[in-house]
Amino acid sequence: MYYKSTRDSSLKKTSAEAIVAGISIDGGLFVPEEIPSLSLDEIKAMSDMTYPERAAFVFSKFLTDFTDAEIRYCTESAYNDKAFDHASITEISHLFDGTYVLELWHGPTCAFKDMALQILPYLLTTSLKKTGIDKKVVILVATSGDTGKAALEGFADVEGTSIMVFYPEDGVSAMQKKQMTTQDGKNVCVCAVKGNFDDCQNGVKAIFTDDDVKAQLAAKGKVFSSANSINWGRLAPQIIYYISAYADLAANGDIALGEKVNITVPTGNFGNILAAYYAKRMGLPVNKLICASNANNVLTDFLTTGVYDRNRHFYTTVSPSMDILISSNLERLLYIMTGSDELIRDWFGKLSSEGRYEVTDDVKAQLREEFAAGCCDDDATKATISEIYGKYSYTLDTHTAVAVRVYEDYRKATGDTTKTIIASTASPYKFGTAVLEAICGSAPADEFDKVDKLHEVSGYDVPASLEALRTKEIRFTGSVDRDAMKAFVLTEADKI
Ligand SMILES: *Cc1c(COP(=O)(O)O)cnc(C)c1O
């Protein structure tokens, strides 16, 4: 199977080439030429498999240029009980009748990004070998918090790679900062930038496309790559857990094999919900995909009107990983729906020049058929955390709370009682301030007092990785001006 660029259908790559490249040279994203199918018998058979076996089975349909042994090496290296606190990798909690919370945060950094970033380094190094590129990869990451730590954990001490993470000096939570600046590993480097997330992101993008830096790196046998969700190697692993959760629910008799479920996803860059759409298109019995947003509700408007308009106020919310106005992976969805690179070039050209585009009536009809969408603000998010805690003694993080609220609103508005999987994307320990404010009315100032308080309130074990931070030494204290990022990369790349 080959992968095409959303902006040039004639451009074809193997999956290994697409994973190494990250983004296509025309600015487009790689999508599989066709969507492989999945039968109910195959879903049934998965219930007897371990998570790495399930993952290998699904990957074998997408990464057809990988051998079975290569795929198994990747899935077994990534999904094991050294990295994850459950051998089952994910967990399903029953919330209220017919509502299942799929906990995707049992990995080393307590957010769902581990599900993809634990395996990406193995997919990437295997892809490098397969494509005969005998270079060391330097992963550059700009982060507003979760991605940086998950990428560091994934790439730390992985042979043939090094990783540099830039975060906004005052733009991440104290816990996120501590997670990153204490990172172990010989091949890692973390640096604060005097600026906001956009400064980090723009700085990294400028370095990626700087021919001078690339030439200097190439002379030393190194090449840049990316670990964010534009890379197919990050999206593909996310398809697996929806299929795996369905297989478990069917095996336990919570649903009948073949029964349709809804899937609700707290959404930012549209990667996680797009993975659910792929699972549906493969044949997973899915009714509606429910897209949940916070006050940054550009996707709610888009999915209900067909007009994407990023010209609006940017809100800083208690669910910061969803504070985003440009959802990159929407480009993949629209390409699948239209099959037209010409329309994609037109729309995404307009998005960068005017900040706005409107899709065709045909696409609007498909969006209405496949998706429902809703949003809620911080007050509603906190009220939901408090409500669910009070009724079910279950402690939600802020992102998952947005999804629960939007799902409850959807259910009330439509009367649709189809059983529903809600993607839970972070441990409440990661966003302790807002969670404690919601449940107790206030939160202690110190990060580890928050951890203790949350343990008392929720009864959940403190994740070992967060517990270890208490006494962990800070390794990275540096910060640079935006203009100094390039020079920093050139000197540091030699050291790691
Ligand atoms: C990244 C993130 C999201 C958003 O996921 P997308 O794939 O970008 O839509 C939601 N919740 C948490 C906790 C995240 O870290």
Side-chain angles (χ1 to χ4, degrees), residues 110-113 146-147 176 229 234-235 238 241 265-274 299 319-322 324 327 329 397-400 424-427 430-431:
C110 310
F112 92 100
K113 289 186 171 70
D146 286 342
T147 300
Q176 287 173 322
S229 68
R234 251 194 79 179
L235 200 76
Q238 299 183 230
Y241 46 72
V265 185
T267 299
N269 216 10
F270 210 75
N272 204 5
I273 194 166
L274 183 71
L299 285 169
S319 44
S321 302
M322 292 152 68
I324 190 159
S327 299
N329 275 297
D397 98 287
T398 47
H399 304 75
T400 311
S424 175
T425 51
S427 156
K430 253 198 132 160
F431 300 95

Side-chain angles (χ1 to χ4, degrees), residues 7 23 38 52 113 218 264 331:
R7 297 196 192 178
I23 190 165
L38 178 77
K113 289 186 171 70
T264 306
E331 178 163 344

Side-chain angles (χ1 to χ4, degrees), residues 337-483:
M337 287 184 162
T338 61
S340 164
D341 52 358
E342 197 183 324
L343 282 173
I344 298 299
R345 284 196 303 273
D346 177 37
W347 293 339
F348 287 83
K350 283 184 181 144
L351 181 65
S352 64
S353 61
E354 297 154 37
R356 183 184 190 278
Y357 62 89
E358 178 166 6
V359 296
T360 56
D361 288 345
D362 170 56
V363 171
K364 286 180 195 173
Q366 291 188 59
L367 293 174
R368 267 196 306 275
E369 175 66 26
E370 304 279 355
F371 291 90
C375 55
C376 76
D377 64 12
D378 282 355
D379 286 344
T381 305
K382 287 185 178 174
T384 305
I385 293 172
S386 162
E387 176 207 322
I388 297 295
Y389 179 78
K391 281 191 188 155
Y392 312 105
S393 303
Y394 185 83
T395 309
L396 294 165
D397 98 287
T398 47
H399 304 75
T400 311
V402 169
V404 170
R405 176 57 173 248
V406 167
Y407 171 63
E408 288 182 318
D409 290 348
Y410 165 84
R411 189 159 152 157
K412 268 184 222 127
T414 59
D416 177 5
T417 54
T418 305
K419 288 172 189 162
T420 295
I421 294 171
I422 297 179
S424 175
T425 51
S427 156
Y429 280 105
K430 253 198 132 160
F431 300 95
T433 312
V435 173
L436 285 169
E437 282 169 3
I439 295 173
C440 312
S442 68
D446 178 79
E447 280 311 299
F448 294 99
D449 291 344
K450 276 178 213 159
V451 168
D452 292 336
K453 181 82 186 161
L454 203 53
H455 173 64
E456 198 184 301
V457 168
S458 69
Y460 297 173
D461 289 342
V462 180
S465 58
L466 296 186
E467 185 59 43
L469 289 181
R470 260 183 228 267
T471 51
K472 215 154 176 209
E473 217 171 301
I474 308 271
R475 288 183 66 199
F476 302 100
T477 51
S479 71
V480 296
D481 284 323
R482 208 205 120 167
D483 299 339

